[in-house]
Amino acid sequence: MADPKKPKAPTAKATKTAAVPPPAAEATPAKATPATAAASKASKAAAAPKTSPAPVARVQLRVGDPAPSFSATITDGSTLHSKDLLGKRVVVYFYPRADTPGCTTDACGFRDAHADLLKSGAVVLGVSADPVKSHVKFTEKYQLPFALVSDSGASVAQAFGAWGEKVFMGRRYLGMHRMTFLIGGDGKVARIWDTVKPETHAAEVLAAVRSL
């Protein structure tokens, strides 16, 4: 039975087809000379987009180093100052983009472990280059109980060494690396994860927090 709400496709009216004149004969292209071929090649090379970004030296933090200080806008629109977190254990995890498969799995893992992380005295901060509006949607969609930092200028990521060249399907570009830093109450880096498996990452971080 036809759905009364579904719009019907418009019925085409019969029209008389005008006679179409035959196409004019195509002109035979001029034979390329070595000079014209070289000029054409140079022109195409100049017009081709450059995908390789300028090299960016990534900061190499080590365990025991003082954690970088920063100020940034978080989910609720307020400004977070890292100095206000001194004395607390802080989990700072960097992720490429909100609401993508790996990043969602990672965020939901921290969400599910959040109560235990709080009991262990840890504050969780997720950091990406997404705007605040995107973070709000991500937080509401998955009920994330921790703050997300909007690092649109990548200043926080660069300070931690989580921003740099990446390669995807042969294309090189600058972006956020999936990394996590555990900062102790003394403000120093206690643990670094530069290889993250989203499915088990939150459990690994919780174990590390409990061991401090």
Side-chain angles (χ1 to χ4, degrees):
M1 184 174 180
D3 185 351
K5 295 183 180 180
K6 186 175 180 181
K8 296 182 179 180
T11 304
K13 294 182 179 180
T15 57
K16 293 183 180 180
T17 304
V20 179
E26 295 183 359
T28 303
K31 205 169 187 180
T33 64
T36 56
S40 176
K41 188 175 181 180
S43 176
K44 289 180 180 179
K50 296 180 180 179
T51 57
S52 297
V56 174
R58 290 176 62 188
V59 173
Q60 297 294 326
L61 288 180
R62 297 181 180 181
V63 172
D65 288 346
S69 59
F70 62 89
S71 295
T73 305
I74 59 176
T75 319
D76 63 6
S78 64
T79 300
L80 172 72
H81 304 283
S82 59
K83 64 180 181 180
D84 295 335
L85 299 175
L86 283 175
K88 299 179 181 179
R89 297 168 180 175
V90 183
V91 176
V92 183
Y93 82 94
F94 293 86
Y95 62 97
R97 188 177 178 183
D99 215 4
T100 53
C103 298
T104 298
T105 299
D106 209 10
C108 290
F110 280 114
R111 176 200 63 195
D112 297 342
H114 191 251
D116 291 328
L117 286 164
L118 281 180
K119 289 178 183 178
S120 300
V123 175
V124 178
L125 297 174
V127 185
S128 77
D130 297 307
V132 174
K133 185 177 180 180
S134 176
H135 281 162
V136 171
K137 290 182 179 179
F138 192 37
T139 295
E140 292 176 348
K141 184 175 181 179
Y142 295 101
Q143 300 179 355
L144 305 181
F146 49 85
L148 299 179
V149 175
S150 180
D151 189 25
S152 56
S155 59
V156 180
Q158 288 182 42
F160 277 83
W163 182 267
E165 185 179 279
K166 301 178 72 175
V167 180
F168 179 71
M169 296 183 68
R171 183 175 68 89
R172 296 179 181 274
Y173 62 99
L174 296 178
M176 193 79 73
H177 288 260
R178 197 185 298 280
M179 298 180 69
T180 298
F181 298 81
L182 173 57
I183 303 169
D186 57 0
K188 294 182 179 180
V189 177
R191 182 76 183 270
I192 301 172
W193 288 265
D194 54 10
T195 300
V196 172
K197 187 175 181 180
E199 293 78 7
T200 57
H201 186 48
E204 294 173 353
V205 173
L206 176 59
V209 170
R210 287 172 169 170
S211 68
L212 290 183

